[in-house]
Amino acid sequence: MSTPTKTSPRPAVKALRTAGGLSVRLHLRAVLTGVLLLVVALAAGVLLIGTGDFPMSFGDVLTTLGGGGNPGQELIVNDLRLPRVLVALLVGACFGLAGAVFQTITRNPLGSPDVLGFAQGSSVGALLVIVYLQGSTVAIAMGAVAGGVVTGVAIFLLAWKRGVHGYRFVLVGIGASAMLYAIVLYLMTKANIVEATRATTWMTGSLSGRDWDQVWPLAAVCVILVPVILLCARPLAMLEMGDDSAAALGVSTGRVRILALLAAVVLVASATAAAGPIAFVALTAPQLARRLTRTTGPNLLPAALMGAVLLVLADLASQRIFGADQVPVGVVTGVLGGGYLLWLLANERKAGRV
């Protein structure tokens, strides 16, 4: 008499069909995880708005956001603190979403924009504007976007050989990162003390002083590019099975890679322009999201929400522990992300992949 074999539990999946014949499969655990992350991000954002030299309770912040606060509270919430929180949410979501795209295409958990040189490319663009043009905040942001996009195109072309493959893309990106970091150091030596201080503050990654001038451009970029990336979710999931399998299922692998990578590069460059090259959010958010959802595929929305949660919580921890604007949020994410990177490398080595 044969004994039954144990099978691992499959995630609960629900199929939704519309009258027009469109069918959408929903992983219930992934949906619940996304809802939970959204609630945590919004709650942490309200707590962050109430944190500062003039503390406010959770209820007072909600009342003021609803239009019921006094003039002083409305000034503090709507004009001073709300833009900073919105920038944190948008920047974190951009990094998390872009990180999921890069890790899916490279099929490597180390395939993150800040590891592959895109953040350094944005830094070079911003430093060129600071050192040689003494540009305004808007000019620095435009320089950062241009630097990130040019770096992305250059890495893509250098890694292209009958297509873009994961490890070649990672190796070219790491090499580009080292070269661009050397350019950053060179530009710092050419700057005077005022320019060097300004550049160092920007390169650390900070949300201090962010206002509506940073919110609206980044929100516009997200409105345009996030749907483009989400439309690539199914083809990206098929790419994880390999190019041959994806092509057999009707996926245009080259077109999907180019479209998703281009949109992700612009997202990273725009987020970097808004808050500086904040480290490790793009690296950690997709992996943490995948562990929470326990589903295959790129997990694009959970990764974006996880990125927003990580950045808002990092800024909240920075202000609660060290005081408002004492320690840039990039320092906090760098410390936490560095520990995560060591843990990830240890696991990859144990599995024999590095």
Side-chain angles (χ1 to χ4, degrees):
M1 183 177 180
S2 60
T3 58
T5 58
K6 292 183 179 180
T7 58
S8 58
R10 300 180 64 184
V13 179
K14 185 176 180 61
L16 299 179
R17 292 180 175 84
T18 64
L22 179 63
S23 178
V24 179
R25 298 178 64 198
L26 297 177
H27 294 272
L28 297 184
R29 183 184 177 93
V31 172
L32 292 176
T33 299
V35 172
L36 178 61
L37 290 174
L38 179 61
V39 171
V40 172
L42 294 178
V46 173
L47 289 175
L48 183 56
I49 291 175
T51 300
D53 295 332
F54 183 81
M56 298 176 63
S57 67
F58 196 93
D60 288 340
V61 173
L62 291 179
T63 300
T64 305
L65 289 174
N70 59 51
Q73 289 174 330
E74 290 182 356
L75 173 66
I76 292 172
V77 171
N78 297 326
D79 294 336
L80 300 180
R81 296 181 183 174
L82 180 59
R84 174 176 180 147
V85 172
L86 291 178
V87 169
L89 291 171
L90 291 172
V91 168
C94 287
F95 281 140
L97 184 58
V101 171
F102 277 96
Q103 292 179 12
T104 300
I105 289 177
T106 61
R107 283 180 258 170
N108 191 320
L110 295 177
S112 170
D114 42 5
V115 175
L116 300 181
F118 296 94
Q120 287 80 359
S122 294
S123 296
V124 169
L127 282 175
L128 287 173
V129 174
I130 293 173
V131 175
Y132 291 110
L133 302 179
Q134 291 79 42
S136 63
T137 302
V138 175
I140 294 172
M142 293 177 63
V145 172
V149 172
V150 170
T151 299
V153 172
I155 292 175
F156 185 85
L157 293 177
L158 290 172
W160 180 272
K161 185 179 180 182
R162 294 190 297 273
V164 176
H165 299 282
Y167 281 102
R168 185 164 63 242
F169 192 83
V170 171
L171 290 175
V172 171
I174 292 175
S177 178
M179 294 178 63
L180 290 168
Y181 183 67
I183 296 175
V184 168
L185 295 179
Y186 171 77
L187 291 174
M188 292 292 287
T189 63
K190 293 296 182 180
N192 59 42
I193 185 64
V194 176
E195 294 166 349
T197 302
R198 189 181 182 192
T200 302
T201 301
W202 186 88
M203 288 176 55
T204 303
S206 174
L207 296 170
S208 177
R210 297 306 182 264
D211 55 26
W212 293 105
D213 290 338
Q214 284 80 40
V215 174
W216 296 122
L218 186 56
V221 171
C222 291
V223 168
I224 296 172
L225 294 182
V226 169
V228 173
I229 294 178
L230 293 181
L231 288 174
C232 296
R234 193 163 180 266
L236 287 173
M238 294 180 181
L239 283 178
E240 289 190 336
M241 299 184 297
D243 285 6
D244 293 337
S245 299
L249 293 172
V251 176
S252 178
T253 57
R255 185 180 303 172
V256 169
R257 278 198 178 93
I258 293 174
L259 180 61
L261 277 176
L262 180 61
V265 166
V266 176
L267 275 183
V268 170
S270 301
T272 303
I278 297 175
F280 291 115
V281 175
L283 176 70
T284 58
Q287 294 299 312
L288 293 177
R290 181 173 293 214
R291 282 168 171 77
L292 286 178
T293 61
R294 297 181 185 174
T295 59
T296 58
N299 288 285
L300 297 178
L301 273 180
L305 292 170
M306 178 61 75
V309 169
L310 289 177
L311 192 52
V312 172
L313 288 180
D315 196 31
L316 180 62
S318 173
Q319 293 199 42
R320 288 291 178 92
I321 296 174
F322 302 103
D325 302 328
Q326 295 297 314
V327 174
V329 68
V331 175
V332 178
T333 61
V335 171
L336 298 178
Y340 172 81
L341 179 59
L342 292 175
W343 175 83
L344 180 62
L345 288 172
N347 276 1
E348 291 291 300
R349 181 181 180 185
K350 187 183 299 183
R353 290 188 287 266
V354 296

PDB file of all heavy atoms in Angstrom, residues 311-339:
ATOM      1  N   LEU A 311      11.227  53.667   3.469  1.00  0.00           N
ATOM      2  CA  LEU A 311      11.770  55.019   3.495  1.00  0.00           C
ATOM      3  C   LEU A 311      11.064  55.883   4.539  1.00  0.00           C
ATOM      4  O   LEU A 311      11.712  56.662   5.250  1.00  0.00           O
ATOM      5  CB  LEU A 311      11.659  55.656   2.109  1.00  0.00           C
ATOM      6  CG  LEU A 311      12.453  56.947   1.923  1.00  0.00           C
ATOM      7  CD1 LEU A 311      13.914  56.769   2.327  1.00  0.00           C
ATOM      8  CD2 LEU A 311      12.368  57.428   0.478  1.00  0.00           C
ATOM      9  N   VAL A 312       9.747  55.757   4.652  1.00  0.00           N
ATOM     10  CA  VAL A 312       9.027  56.545   5.659  1.00  0.00           C
ATOM     11  C   VAL A 312       9.431  56.110   7.065  1.00  0.00           C
ATOM     12  O   VAL A 312       9.648  56.952   7.953  1.00  0.00           O
ATOM     13  CB  VAL A 312       7.505  56.410   5.449  1.00  0.00           C
ATOM     14  CG1 VAL A 312       6.754  57.066   6.601  1.00  0.00           C
ATOM     15  CG2 VAL A 312       7.092  57.061   4.144  1.00  0.00           C
ATOM     16  N   LEU A 313       9.550  54.798   7.295  1.00  0.00           N
ATOM     17  CA  LEU A 313       9.960  54.321   8.616  1.00  0.00           C
ATOM     18  C   LEU A 313      11.389  54.741   8.934  1.00  0.00           C
ATOM     19  O   LEU A 313      11.705  55.069  10.086  1.00  0.00           O
ATOM     20  CB  LEU A 313       9.825  52.800   8.691  1.00  0.00           C
ATOM     21  CG  LEU A 313       8.401  52.245   8.743  1.00  0.00           C
ATOM     22  CD1 LEU A 313       8.430  50.719   8.805  1.00  0.00           C
ATOM     23  CD2 LEU A 313       7.640  52.793   9.942  1.00  0.00           C
ATOM     24  N   ALA A 314      12.269  54.745   7.921  1.00  0.00           N
ATOM     25  CA  ALA A 314      13.643  55.180   8.155  1.00  0.00           C
ATOM     26  C   ALA A 314      13.691  56.658   8.536  1.00  0.00           C
ATOM     27  O   ALA A 314      14.425  57.057   9.445  1.00  0.00           O
ATOM     28  CB  ALA A 314      14.487  54.926   6.908  1.00  0.00           C
ATOM     29  N   ASP A 315      12.906  57.478   7.854  1.00  0.00           N
ATOM     30  CA  ASP A 315      12.867  58.902   8.190  1.00  0.00           C
ATOM     31  C   ASP A 315      12.240  59.118   9.563  1.00  0.00           C
ATOM     32  O   ASP A 315      12.689  59.979  10.332  1.00  0.00           O
ATOM     33  CB  ASP A 315      12.093  59.663   7.116  1.00  0.00           C
ATOM     34  CG  ASP A 315      12.332  61.169   7.180  1.00  0.00           C
ATOM     35  OD1 ASP A 315      13.433  61.571   7.590  1.00  0.00           O
ATOM     36  OD2 ASP A 315      11.425  61.939   6.843  1.00  0.00           O
ATOM     37  N   LEU A 316      11.208  58.345   9.885  1.00  0.00           N
ATOM     38  CA  LEU A 316      10.578  58.455  11.200  1.00  0.00           C
ATOM     39  C   LEU A 316      11.560  58.063  12.298  1.00  0.00           C
ATOM     40  O   LEU A 316      11.669  58.751  13.330  1.00  0.00           O
ATOM     41  CB  LEU A 316       9.338  57.559  11.249  1.00  0.00           C
ATOM     42  CG  LEU A 316       8.545  57.544  12.558  1.00  0.00           C
ATOM     43  CD1 LEU A 316       7.990  58.920  12.863  1.00  0.00           C
ATOM     44  CD2 LEU A 316       7.417  56.511  12.474  1.00  0.00           C
ATOM     45  N   ALA A 317      12.295  56.958  12.087  1.00  0.00           N
ATOM     46  CA  ALA A 317      13.284  56.536  13.079  1.00  0.00           C
ATOM     47  C   ALA A 317      14.388  57.571  13.231  1.00  0.00           C
ATOM     48  O   ALA A 317      14.837  57.853  14.353  1.00  0.00           O
ATOM     49  CB  ALA A 317      13.877  55.185  12.668  1.00  0.00           C
ATOM     50  N   SER A 318      14.826  58.147  12.107  1.00  0.00           N
ATOM     51  CA  SER A 318      15.876  59.162  12.169  1.00  0.00           C
ATOM     52  C   SER A 318      15.444  60.355  13.008  1.00  0.00           C
ATOM     53  O   SER A 318      16.197  60.845  13.858  1.00  0.00           O
ATOM     54  CB  SER A 318      16.224  59.607  10.743  1.00  0.00           C
ATOM     55  OG  SER A 318      17.112  60.701  10.752  1.00  0.00           O
ATOM     56  N   GLN A 319      14.210  60.831  12.806  1.00  0.00           N
ATOM     57  CA  GLN A 319      13.746  62.005  13.541  1.00  0.00           C
ATOM     58  C   GLN A 319      13.452  61.679  15.003  1.00  0.00           C
ATOM     59  O   GLN A 319      13.725  62.492  15.894  1.00  0.00           O
ATOM     60  CB  GLN A 319      12.496  62.577  12.864  1.00  0.00           C
ATOM     61  CG  GLN A 319      12.770  63.165  11.496  1.00  0.00           C
ATOM     62  CD  GLN A 319      11.664  64.099  11.054  1.00  0.00           C
ATOM     63  OE1 GLN A 319      11.147  64.889  11.822  1.00  0.00           O
ATOM     64  NE2 GLN A 319      11.295  64.007   9.781  1.00  0.00           N
ATOM     65  N   ARG A 320      12.893  60.496  15.265  1.00  0.00           N
ATOM     66  CA  ARG A 320      12.560  60.150  16.649  1.00  0.00           C
ATOM     67  C   ARG A 320      13.815  59.886  17.484  1.00  0.00           C
ATOM     68  O   ARG A 320      13.852  60.190  18.676  1.00  0.00           O
ATOM     69  CB  ARG A 320      11.655  58.913  16.667  1.00  0.00           C
ATOM     70  CG  ARG A 320      10.236  59.176  16.173  1.00  0.00           C
ATOM     71  CD  ARG A 320       9.457  60.047  17.146  1.00  0.00           C
ATOM     72  NE  ARG A 320       8.113  60.368  16.681  1.00  0.00           N
ATOM     73  CZ  ARG A 320       7.020  59.654  16.976  1.00  0.00           C
ATOM     74  NH1 ARG A 320       7.141  58.557  17.716  1.00  0.00           N
ATOM     75  NH2 ARG A 320       5.843  60.028  16.534  1.00  0.00           N
ATOM     76  N   ILE A 321      14.853  59.320  16.872  1.00  0.00           N
ATOM     77  CA  ILE A 321      16.058  58.951  17.626  1.00  0.00           C
ATOM     78  C   ILE A 321      17.037  60.116  17.719  1.00  0.00           C
ATOM     79  O   ILE A 321      17.576  60.408  18.799  1.00  0.00           O
ATOM     80  CB  ILE A 321      16.737  57.729  16.968  1.00  0.00           C
ATOM     81  CG1 ILE A 321      15.813  56.509  17.042  1.00  0.00           C
ATOM     82  CG2 ILE A 321      18.062  57.413  17.662  1.00  0.00           C
ATOM     83  CD1 ILE A 321      16.335  55.305  16.286  1.00  0.00           C
ATOM     84  N   PHE A 322      17.259  60.804  16.588  1.00  0.00           N
ATOM     85  CA  PHE A 322      18.308  61.821  16.546  1.00  0.00           C
ATOM     86  C   PHE A 322      17.777  63.250  16.527  1.00  0.00           C
ATOM     87  O   PHE A 322      18.555  64.187  16.661  1.00  0.00           O
ATOM     88  CB  PHE A 322      19.196  61.613  15.312  1.00  0.00           C
ATOM     89  CG  PHE A 322      19.850  60.259  15.255  1.00  0.00           C
ATOM     90  CD1 PHE A 322      19.359  59.278  14.417  1.00  0.00           C
ATOM     91  CD2 PHE A 322      20.938  59.974  16.056  1.00  0.00           C
ATOM     92  CE1 PHE A 322      19.954  58.025  14.363  1.00  0.00           C
ATOM     93  CE2 PHE A 322      21.546  58.726  16.012  1.00  0.00           C
ATOM     94  CZ  PHE A 322      21.052  57.752  15.166  1.00  0.00           C
ATOM     95  N   GLY A 323      16.473  63.426  16.341  1.00  0.00           N
ATOM     96  CA  GLY A 323      15.935  64.770  16.224  1.00  0.00           C
ATOM     97  C   GLY A 323      15.756  65.155  14.779  1.00  0.00           C
ATOM     98  O   GLY A 323      16.403  64.603  13.871  1.00  0.00           O
ATOM     99  N   ALA A 324      14.884  66.125  14.541  1.00  0.00           N
ATOM    100  CA  ALA A 324      14.556  66.522  13.171  1.00  0.00           C
ATOM    101  C   ALA A 324      15.783  67.031  12.432  1.00  0.00           C
ATOM    102  O   ALA A 324      16.490  67.929  12.894  1.00  0.00           O
ATOM    103  CB  ALA A 324      13.465  67.596  13.192  1.00  0.00           C
ATOM    104  N   ASP A 325      16.044  66.421  11.249  1.00  0.00           N
ATOM    105  CA  ASP A 325      17.087  66.865  10.316  1.00  0.00           C
ATOM    106  C   ASP A 325      18.503  66.788  10.893  1.00  0.00           C
ATOM    107  O   ASP A 325      19.415  67.434  10.369  1.00  0.00           O
ATOM    108  CB  ASP A 325      16.803  68.299   9.836  1.00  0.00           C
ATOM    109  CG  ASP A 325      15.444  68.423   9.164  1.00  0.00           C
ATOM    110  OD1 ASP A 325      15.020  67.443   8.534  1.00  0.00           O
ATOM    111  OD2 ASP A 325      14.827  69.500   9.279  1.00  0.00           O
ATOM    112  N   GLN A 326      18.696  65.998  11.944  1.00  0.00           N
ATOM    113  CA  GLN A 326      20.040  65.833  12.482  1.00  0.00           C
ATOM    114  C   GLN A 326      20.834  64.800  11.693  1.00  0.00           C
ATOM    115  O   GLN A 326      22.027  64.966  11.476  1.00  0.00           O
ATOM    116  CB  GLN A 326      19.960  65.414  13.967  1.00  0.00           C
ATOM    117  CG  GLN A 326      19.359  66.471  14.882  1.00  0.00           C
ATOM    118  CD  GLN A 326      20.185  67.733  14.927  1.00  0.00           C
ATOM    119  OE1 GLN A 326      21.394  67.696  15.067  1.00  0.00           O
ATOM    120  NE2 GLN A 326      19.515  68.881  14.777  1.00  0.00           N
ATOM    121  N   VAL A 327      20.174  63.725  11.298  1.00  0.00           N
ATOM    122  CA  VAL A 327      20.824  62.662  10.525  1.00  0.00           C
ATOM    123  C   VAL A 327      20.010  62.438   9.255  1.00  0.00           C
ATOM    124  O   VAL A 327      18.806  62.158   9.325  1.00  0.00           O
ATOM    125  CB  VAL A 327      20.903  61.344  11.336  1.00  0.00           C
ATOM    126  CG1 VAL A 327      21.451  60.218  10.476  1.00  0.00           C
ATOM    127  CG2 VAL A 327      21.761  61.537  12.570  1.00  0.00           C
ATOM    128  N   PRO A 328      20.621  62.580   8.072  1.00  0.00           N
ATOM    129  CA  PRO A 328      19.884  62.351   6.824  1.00  0.00           C
ATOM    130  C   PRO A 328      19.363  60.927   6.749  1.00  0.00           C
ATOM    131  O   PRO A 328      19.979  59.978   7.256  1.00  0.00           O
ATOM    132  CB  PRO A 328      20.932  62.618   5.736  1.00  0.00           C
ATOM    133  CG  PRO A 328      21.969  63.459   6.397  1.00  0.00           C
ATOM    134  CD  PRO A 328      21.999  63.021   7.825  1.00  0.00           C
ATOM    135  N   VAL A 329      18.230  60.763   6.082  1.00  0.00           N
ATOM    136  CA  VAL A 329      17.611  59.446   6.000  1.00  0.00           C
ATOM    137  C   VAL A 329      18.497  58.459   5.246  1.00  0.00           C
ATOM    138  O   VAL A 329      18.448  57.248   5.480  1.00  0.00           O
ATOM    139  CB  VAL A 329      16.225  59.571   5.341  1.00  0.00           C
ATOM    140  CG1 VAL A 329      16.349  59.965   3.871  1.00  0.00           C
ATOM    141  CG2 VAL A 329      15.434  58.286   5.479  1.00  0.00           C
ATOM    142  N   GLY A 330      19.344  58.970   4.329  1.00  0.00           N
ATOM    143  CA  GLY A 330      20.241  58.079   3.603  1.00  0.00           C
ATOM    144  C   GLY A 330      21.236  57.367   4.496  1.00  0.00           C
ATOM    145  O   GLY A 330      21.672  56.258   4.187  1.00  0.00           O
ATOM    146  N   VAL A 331      21.601  57.992   5.613  1.00  0.00           N
ATOM    147  CA  VAL A 331      22.503  57.335   6.569  1.00  0.00           C
ATOM    148  C   VAL A 331      21.808  56.141   7.214  1.00  0.00           C
ATOM    149  O   VAL A 331      22.391  55.060   7.364  1.00  0.00           O
ATOM    150  CB  VAL A 331      22.973  58.338   7.639  1.00  0.00           C
ATOM    151  CG1 VAL A 331      23.803  57.630   8.706  1.00  0.00           C
ATOM    152  CG2 VAL A 331      23.767  59.463   7.005  1.00  0.00           C
ATOM    153  N   VAL A 332      20.546  56.316   7.584  1.00  0.00           N
ATOM    154  CA  VAL A 332      19.792  55.234   8.228  1.00  0.00           C
ATOM    155  C   VAL A 332      19.591  54.072   7.258  1.00  0.00           C
ATOM    156  O   VAL A 332      19.826  52.908   7.617  1.00  0.00           O
ATOM    157  CB  VAL A 332      18.436  55.761   8.735  1.00  0.00           C
ATOM    158  CG1 VAL A 332      17.623  54.634   9.368  1.00  0.00           C
ATOM    159  CG2 VAL A 332      18.639  56.880   9.736  1.00  0.00           C
ATOM    160  N   THR A 333      19.152  54.359   6.029  1.00  0.00           N
ATOM    161  CA  THR A 333      18.956  53.276   5.070  1.00  0.00           C
ATOM    162  C   THR A 333      20.281  52.596   4.711  1.00  0.00           C
ATOM    163  O   THR A 333      20.321  51.398   4.450  1.00  0.00           O
ATOM    164  CB  THR A 333      18.289  53.796   3.795  1.00  0.00           C
ATOM    165  OG1 THR A 333      19.123  54.789   3.176  1.00  0.00           O
ATOM    166  CG2 THR A 333      16.929  54.395   4.104  1.00  0.00           C
ATOM    167  N   GLY A 334      21.377  53.368   4.707  1.00  0.00           N
ATOM    168  CA  GLY A 334      22.678  52.778   4.418  1.00  0.00           C
ATOM    169  C   GLY A 334      23.116  51.790   5.481  1.00  0.00           C
ATOM    170  O   GLY A 334      23.625  50.704   5.173  1.00  0.00           O
ATOM    171  N   VAL A 335      22.905  52.136   6.769  1.00  0.00           N
ATOM    172  CA  VAL A 335      23.276  51.233   7.861  1.00  0.00           C
ATOM    173  C   VAL A 335      22.431  49.964   7.814  1.00  0.00           C
ATOM    174  O   VAL A 335      22.954  48.836   7.872  1.00  0.00           O
ATOM    175  CB  VAL A 335      23.123  51.946   9.210  1.00  0.00           C
ATOM    176  CG1 VAL A 335      23.291  50.959  10.365  1.00  0.00           C
ATOM    177  CG2 VAL A 335      24.139  53.076   9.344  1.00  0.00           C
ATOM    178  N   LEU A 336      21.122  50.133   7.697  1.00  0.00           N
ATOM    179  CA  LEU A 336      20.235  48.965   7.675  1.00  0.00           C
ATOM    180  C   LEU A 336      20.438  48.144   6.405  1.00  0.00           C
ATOM    181  O   LEU A 336      20.485  46.915   6.455  1.00  0.00           O
ATOM    182  CB  LEU A 336      18.780  49.424   7.776  1.00  0.00           C
ATOM    183  CG  LEU A 336      18.395  50.167   9.058  1.00  0.00           C
ATOM    184  CD1 LEU A 336      16.948  50.616   9.010  1.00  0.00           C
ATOM    185  CD2 LEU A 336      18.631  49.290  10.286  1.00  0.00           C
ATOM    186  N   GLY A 337      20.572  48.817   5.267  1.00  0.00           N
ATOM    187  CA  GLY A 337      20.756  48.103   4.011  1.00  0.00           C
ATOM    188  C   GLY A 337      22.090  47.392   3.927  1.00  0.00           C
ATOM    189  O   GLY A 337      22.190  46.319   3.334  1.00  0.00           O
ATOM    190  N   GLY A 338      23.141  47.978   4.527  1.00  0.00           N
ATOM    191  CA  GLY A 338      24.429  47.296   4.539  1.00  0.00           C
ATOM    192  C   GLY A 338      24.369  45.982   5.293  1.00  0.00           C
ATOM    193  O   GLY A 338      24.924  44.957   4.864  1.00  0.00           O
ATOM    194  N   GLY A 339      23.668  45.987   6.431  1.00  0.00           N
ATOM    195  CA  GLY A 339      23.485  44.737   7.180  1.00  0.00           C
ATOM    196  C   GLY A 339      22.696  43.722   6.383  1.00  0.00           C
ATOM    197  O   GLY A 339      23.024  42.523   6.374  1.00  0.00           O
TER     198      GLY A 339
END
